[in-house]
Each structure stands twice: as C-alpha cells, then as structure tokens.
C-alpha cells in the first residue's frame, strides 16, 4: 500500500464521478435503513453495500498511477462484483414474492462464500496467474494509463457464475412484469431496465472489450442505477405501492381454496384447506376424490358445474358444518379459443349463517303457527260473537251486515228479496212439560232442518228464544211461500229425537217482500212480524204474508207478544 502511495495518485474526473455515485449509494442505503419494512429490505441494503465496495475499489484503481496498484485494487473489487448480482437476485425474488422476513444468517453465510473465494483467488493471482494473465499491462506509457487485462480461466468461470445470477434476475423480473398489470407492471419493467443497464455494460466489457475512460464501464453504469432507484422511490413511490405476491393472497384467505388441474388433481391449496383436511406435506398431486374430509363431495360438485362459474351450497356429511362452494374455471386464451388450465374451488364456511337461517326459519314457522292460532282464535271469537252457541246459526249481530250486503246486490241486479220470521208453535208448553234440555234439542234439530233446506245464497238467523229469521235473496213472493210451506210440511211429519224421547213440532212463518213491503230491514221485520201474528191467529203450522198494502201497525199486531202467542 505504501508503494502505491509512493507511486502517486490523482483525483481525475472519472474518479470524482465514481466517488459521487458512491456517496449517493451511501445516502440511499442510509435512507432505506430508516424506512418501514418492505419486501427484500435487507437484501436491498446489502446490494447497495456490495455496489459501494465495487465502486470504491474501481475509484482507487483509477486514482493510482502504478500498474501493480491498479491490478491490486482490481482484485480488491471482486467481493463487490460477485456480491452485487447475488444480492440483486435475492432482492428481486423477495420483492416479487412479497417476502418481508429477514434473511437467515445461514443463508447470508452461504451467499458470502463465493465472493470470498473469488476474492482470495483474485488476490493470489501473482502466484498462480489463473485470474489475470501475465500479458496484463498498461495500454500505453502515459502516467496512470489504464491496464488492459488478460483474463484467465478463473476470471471466466467467475463471469459465468455472475451471469447466471444476472439471468436469474432478468427471468424473475420479466416473469413478474408479464403476469402483472398497471402500476405494478411498470414497476417491474423499471426493474428490468435497471437490471439490464449495468450488466449490458459488464458483458460489453468482458466479451467485446468495451471501456470507458479506459476502464470497465460497469461501475460508471451504477450512476444510472442510482438515478433510476431515486426516481422509482421518490417519483413513483416504489416502496409505498408494493405488489403483493399472488400466492400470499391465497395464503391470506381465511377460507379453504383448492386449485385443481384438468386431470382432477390438487396442485395448490392454501393453509386453511390443508388445516381442514388435516394435511401438512405430500399432498400435491392428490386426486380430488381422495382429498380428506370433503374431496368426494367436491369432485361431484365439480362434475355438476360443467366448467361454468357457479355458486352451490354443499353440506359436508362427515362433519357438522356447512359450506358454500364457488367453482371457477381457469382458462387461457389461445388462437384456437379458450384453453382450460384447471379449476379453483373456493370453500366458504357458512355454518353460522346456515344455523342462523335455520333459527330464523324456526322462528318464522313458530310465528306463522302463532299467527294461525291467533287467526283461528279470532275467527272463533268472531263466530262466537256472530253465531248462536246453541244452534250454531247466525245471531242478530250478523243480521245487519248480511242484509246490507244482500240488499245492495238486489238493488244492483234488480232482484227480489224475501224475508220470513219463523216461530215454533206451542214451544213454551213443550218447555214447561218436557224441560229446557228437551227444548234445546228441539231448537237444534229445527235449526238443522232449516239449514238443510236452504240454498247457498240463503241465510237463517236465530233472533230470539224459539224465533228464527230466514233471508231468501232472489226469491219472489210465490217462490218464498212455496219453499216455506215445504219446510213447514216436512217438519210437521218428522220425529225429532231428544233426550226425553221423540217429539213432533210445527212452525208458523210470516213473510215480507222487498221492495214492495219495505225498503229497510226494520220495515220488513215489522211486516213479517205482523204476518207471523196472522199465521198464529189463523191456527198455526202455516205460512202467511200480508198484502202489499197491509198495515204493519194494525192494533192486533201491536198487542201481539211472542211469549203469549207460542
């Protein structure tokens, strides 16, 4: 070293430029050390430290005048020369695959063996001459002239080793650029350019003898690398908008995901799928039908999907859990049309949702049952409110509603409407002699007799003790009389079974007609009541109707009492 200093040295423009680039590399590496973690952070720092070593040795080689000193510093540069592509390849691999974990020490030691070995071979070149040949000498006799090196076999072996890393770098970043889109593709293309420039310069120097200022142009090309990285970091935020490796996205999914090739073999599975299947290793290439837990079900579903994107619910029979499976065909466009590369099966655990749906369905069913019960009770209450509990006939409460509806229809269709009051003959006497229980049996039997002789449009009401009301829509006076006489005649010859023995009863009826004898219900009831009184007075067991000019307010009608006329 003292001899080199004694021989003299100078700071030429190439040396100053190299030192400025080295300073920029130091600043960039220092800036990276203070940033948050990003993929390949450690290898990125080591990459720049290696390039710094290389440029520092190159600057010293250019600054000294003596040829021996130049060759010494050229040998000193080899740790940086070999380490730069090594850590460049590691950085690109980590960046593309979003690997943020620090490099293991064992890996660092392994990667450092080759640079140290090459460094030792280069420094020991005076003894073996296999790295630089004896023909290495200055290009001319000028002071500090560059040395033209005669490369030996160890040099070329080292160059092959370095170029393999260079080829790996280009392959990694080119593949990433081809598989990416948008901003990330531009990032990777920038990496392609940054990677290519120094190594094109190095290949030109080694293969074609290119030089710059008489020296290897590779260290000078790092000026471009520094500017490019500065622009990528500051201009396009290289480490702010980081690409995420696709396999990491697959691993980050909480639900099981399987990738199946066209032959039905599992070629990719995320940790969730492996955990569900209870597998750790040796699973790649397994037939889908042989996949543990739910492979057979997935195989069946895959056949049913028929290469179409579908969402299908799938219930696992071997577990108490429920899954929803999405089948997605993976295709690649070719000149002959889409080519099937396989399928992706996305299995989503919907157990909680399914159980919630079951609980909701149970709650809805219970609510519907309760609603039906309430509706039934409402109908029962309504029937109890509108129907007579003994005979089941409508009572007086429903009369107004029914009559208003039938009156409106009669007015709309211009139809007649008949109304008849019916009273059982001598019912008070029957009650007194046989008891009220027998009387109840008779009332129920008469109610059934009336119902059995009505049309679907007719209605019968119990409006008093033994008093009934018939409404006959569409029946004129002749038809109404004829039908009521038939009812009376049939009842008169029929034995009524009661708990006190068979009984025979007769009935009397009074008819009124709308619109001739009244417009309102009360008017018609008055006419029918008067006609009923007339039937009682004429001997009972008969049907009577007042003439259209009959006076419903006749004194005899006013004096009639149902209880006394029974």
């Amino acid at each position: 070293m003292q001899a080199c200093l004694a021989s003299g040295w100078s700071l030429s423009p190439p040396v100053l430029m190299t030192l400025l680039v080295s300073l920029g590399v130091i600043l960039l590496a220092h800036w990276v050390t203070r940033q948050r973690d990003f993929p390949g952070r450690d290898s990125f720092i080591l990459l720049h430290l290696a390039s710094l070593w290389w440029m520092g040795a190159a600057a010293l080689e250019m600054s000294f005048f003596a040829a021996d000193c130049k060759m010494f510093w050229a040998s000193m540069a080899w740790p940086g020369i070999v380490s730069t592509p090594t850590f460049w390849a590691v950085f690109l691999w980590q960046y593309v695959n979003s690997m943020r974990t620090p490099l293991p020490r064992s890996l660092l030691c392994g990667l450092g063996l080759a640079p140290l070995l090459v460094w030792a071979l280069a420094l020991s070149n005076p003894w073996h001459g296999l790295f630089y040949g004896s023909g290495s000498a200055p290009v001319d006799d000028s002071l500090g002239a560059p040395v033209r090196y005669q490369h030996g076999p160890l040099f070329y072996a080292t160059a092959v080793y370095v170029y393999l890393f260079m080829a790996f770098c280009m392959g990694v970043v080119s593949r990433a650029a081809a598989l990416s889109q948008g901003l990330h593709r531009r990032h990777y293309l920038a990496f392609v350019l940054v990677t290519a420039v120094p190594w094109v310069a190095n290949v030109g120097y080694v293969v074609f003898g290119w030089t710059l200022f008489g020296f290897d142009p590779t260290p000078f090309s790092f000026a471009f690398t520094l500017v490019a990285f500065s622009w990528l970091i500051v201009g396009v935020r290289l480490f702010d908008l980081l690409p995420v490796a696709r396999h990491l996205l697959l691993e980050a999914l909480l639900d099981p995901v399987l990738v199946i090739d066209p032959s039905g073999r599992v070629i990719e599975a995320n940790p969730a799928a492996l955990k569900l299947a209870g597998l750790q290793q040796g699973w790649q290439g397994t037939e889908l039908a042989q996949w543990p837990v739910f492979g057979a079900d997935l195989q069946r579903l895959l056949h049913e999907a028929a290469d179409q994107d579908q969402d299908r619910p799938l219930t696992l029979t071997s577990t108490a859990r429920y899954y929803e499976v999405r089948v997605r065909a993976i295709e690649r466009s070719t000149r002959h049309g889409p080519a099937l590369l396989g399928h992706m099966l996305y299995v989503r655990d919907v157990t909680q949702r399914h159980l919630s749906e079951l609980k909701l369905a149970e709650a809805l069913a219970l609510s519907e049952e309760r609603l039906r019960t309430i509706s039934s009770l409402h109908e029962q209450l309504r029937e109890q409110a509108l129907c007579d509990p003994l005979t089941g006939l409508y009572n007086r409460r429903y009369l107004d509603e029914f009559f208003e509806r039938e009156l409106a229809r009669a007015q709309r269709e211009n139809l007649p409407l008949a109304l008849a009051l019916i009273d059982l003959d001598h019912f008070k006497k029957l009650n007194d002699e046989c008891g009220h229980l027998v009387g109840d049996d008779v009332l129920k039997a008469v109610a059934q007799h009336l119902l059995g002789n009505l049309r679907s449009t007719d209605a019968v009401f119990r409006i008093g003790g033994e008093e009934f009301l018939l409404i006959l829509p569409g029946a004129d006076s002749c038809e109404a009389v004829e039908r009521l006489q038939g009812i009376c005649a049939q009842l008169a010859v029929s034995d009524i079974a009661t708990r006190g023995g068979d009984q025979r009863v007769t009935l009397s009826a009074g008819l009124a007609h709308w619109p001739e004898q009244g417009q309102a219900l009360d008017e018609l009831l008055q006419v029918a009541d008067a006609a009923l009184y007339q039937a009682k007075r004429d001997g009972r067991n008969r049907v009577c109707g007042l003439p259209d000019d009959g006076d419903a307010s006749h004194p005899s009608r006013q004096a009639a009492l149902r209880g006394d006329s029974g």
Side-chain angles (χ1 to χ4, degrees):
M1 185 66 182
Q2 291 180 352
C4 290
L5 292 173
S7 65
W9 62 283
S10 66
L11 292 176
S12 61
V15 174
L16 291 175
M17 186 181 74
T18 305
L19 292 177
L20 286 175
V21 175
S22 300
L23 179 61
V25 170
I26 292 173
L27 294 176
L28 179 62
H30 177 67
W31 179 87
V32 170
T33 60
R34 297 188 303 171
Q35 303 307 305
R36 61 180 177 85
D37 290 341
F38 59 84
R41 175 179 175 271
D42 294 343
S43 55
F44 186 81
I45 296 173
L46 293 173
L47 157 69
H48 284 79
L49 292 179
S51 65
L52 178 64
W53 180 289
W54 188 354
M55 287 185 290
L60 291 171
E61 178 187 357
M62 290 184 290
S63 63
F64 285 100
F65 295 147
D68 292 342
C69 295
K70 291 181 180 295
M71 294 185 66
F72 171 77
W73 287 111
S75 300
M76 289 293 293
W78 279 102
I81 296 174
V82 178
S83 297
T84 298
T86 301
F87 290 111
W88 183 243
V90 175
F91 165 69
L92 289 179
W93 177 260
Q94 289 184 307
Y95 186 83
V96 167
N97 292 279
S98 299
M99 299 172 63
R100 290 175 168 82
T101 56
L103 292 175
R105 291 184 179 180
S106 58
L107 178 60
L108 288 175
C109 293
L111 295 175
L113 289 177
L116 292 176
L117 178 60
V118 172
W119 191 20
L121 292 174
L123 290 176
S124 61
N125 185 73
W127 289 277
H128 54 72
L130 297 177
F131 216 95
Y132 298 117
S134 58
S136 301
V139 295
D140 54 41
D141 296 332
S142 62
L143 183 65
V147 175
R148 178 181 291 112
Y149 294 97
Q150 182 180 9
H151 300 136
L154 291 180
F155 175 91
Y156 288 110
T158 303
V160 171
Y161 175 82
V162 170
Y163 292 157
L164 287 177
F165 274 100
M166 292 164 51
F168 177 80
C169 292
M170 295 300 295
V172 168
V173 74
S174 300
R175 181 177 182 275
L179 297 177
S180 302
Q181 295 179 352
L183 179 63
H184 295 153
R185 171 171 287 181
R186 293 195 292 273
H187 280 177
Y188 290 132
L189 291 176
F191 276 132
V192 171
L193 182 61
V194 173
T195 304
V197 169
W199 304 119
V200 168
N202 187 263
V203 171
Y205 169 71
V206 173
V207 178
F208 303 104
W210 296 348
T211 60
L212 184 64
F213 308 116
F215 296 92
D216 181 359
T218 309
F220 300 103
S221 67
F222 282 110
F224 169 81
T225 303
L226 177 64
V227 173
F229 267 124
S230 300
W231 174 75
L232 287 173
I233 293 172
V234 178
V236 298
R237 301 188 304 170
L238 175 66
F239 297 127
D240 292 336
L241 300 174
L242 295 173
V244 179
R246 297 186 179 185
H247 76 276
L248 293 183
L249 290 176
L250 190 66
E251 292 178 0
L253 293 174
L254 299 179
D255 296 312
V257 177
L258 297 177
V259 179
I260 314 300
D261 67 6
S263 300
R265 297 172 300 182
V266 179
I267 59 174
E268 189 61 76
N270 69 339
L274 297 178
K275 180 179 179 181
L276 182 61
L279 298 175
Q280 294 183 350
Q281 56 186 359
W283 50 267
Q284 287 185 318
T286 302
E287 295 289 338
L288 180 59
Q290 305 300 322
W291 192 261
V293 181
F294 54 89
D297 293 329
L298 289 177
Q299 181 70 36
R300 172 180 52 79
L301 183 65
L302 187 61
H303 286 308
E304 293 176 358
D307 298 342
Q308 297 179 2
D309 296 342
Q310 297 186 16
D311 289 318
R312 298 283 188 87
L314 174 66
T315 301
L316 301 185
T317 57
S318 57
T319 65
R321 305 194 68 82
Y322 300 87
Y323 292 87
E324 185 178 76
V325 179
R326 182 178 180 84
V327 180
R328 175 60 57 89
I330 304 174
E331 297 178 341
R332 179 179 61 189
S333 299
T334 65
R335 292 181 300 174
H336 305 290
L340 180 64
L341 301 179
H343 292 86
M344 185 182 76
L345 305 180
Y346 186 88
V347 185
R348 176 176 296 175
D349 190 337
V350 294
T351 302
Q352 294 301 321
R353 188 185 76 183
H354 184 77
L355 294 179
S356 298
E357 290 175 351
L358 290 179
K359 291 180 180 179
L360 180 59
E362 292 176 359
L364 290 175
L366 181 60
S367 298
E368 292 177 356
E369 181 64 26
R370 290 177 176 175
L371 181 60
R372 285 193 294 269
T373 302
I374 292 173
S375 300
S376 177
L377 291 174
H378 179 74
E379 290 297 325
Q380 293 178 14
L381 291 175
R382 186 173 184 274
E383 290 180 1
Q384 291 175 4
L386 301 180
C387 296
D388 172 51
L390 177 64
T391 61
L393 302 178
Y394 290 122
N395 58 25
R396 187 66 180 262
R397 291 188 182 92
Y398 185 58
L399 175 59
D400 291 336
E401 178 183 340
F402 181 83
F403 182 81
E404 289 298 330
R405 184 172 66 248
E406 292 302 325
L407 178 61
R409 188 164 71 92
Q411 292 173 339
R412 184 173 60 253
E413 299 178 7
N414 195 24
L415 296 174
L417 178 66
L419 182 148
L421 274 176
I422 297 176
D423 191 89
L424 295 184
D425 298 330
H426 304 296
F427 186 72
K428 185 177 182 303
K429 179 180 178 182
L430 176 67
N431 267 340
D432 293 341
E433 294 179 354
C434 300
H436 290 284
L437 294 179
V438 173
D440 290 345
D441 292 339
V442 170
L443 289 174
K444 290 189 285 185
V446 171
Q448 293 302 313
H449 178 72
L450 294 176
L451 287 173
N453 287 275
L454 296 182
R455 301 172 303 179
S456 60
T457 56
D458 301 338
V460 58
F461 302 82
R462 184 187 179 197
I463 59 174
E466 72 276 15
E467 194 172 44
F468 301 90
L469 173 67
L470 267 67
I471 297 180
L472 308 174
D476 56 19
S477 57
C478 295
E479 180 182 355
V481 168
E482 181 179 351
R483 291 183 57 196
L484 283 171
Q485 285 178 344
I487 291 174
C488 290
Q490 292 178 16
L491 182 63
V493 297
S494 301
D495 290 330
I496 297 177
T498 69
R499 66 196 73 191
D502 292 343
Q503 301 289 335
R504 283 200 177 185
V505 295
T506 60
L507 58 82
S508 300
L511 276 172
H513 306 281
W514 177 88
E516 294 87 354
Q517 294 179 317
Q519 295 292 327
L521 176 61
D522 290 342
E523 296 176 354
L524 294 173
L525 286 176
Q526 288 182 8
V527 173
D529 206 15
L532 175 61
Y533 175 77
Q534 183 64 40
K536 293 283 188 180
R537 191 174 59 183
D538 291 345
R540 297 180 176 82
N541 192 23
R542 67 189 65 234
V543 178
C544 290
L546 297 181
D548 291 347
D549 58 353
D551 185 3
S553 60
H554 191 276
S556 61
R557 169 66 187 89
Q558 297 293 333
L561 296 174
R562 290 280 87 46
D564 295 337
S565 62

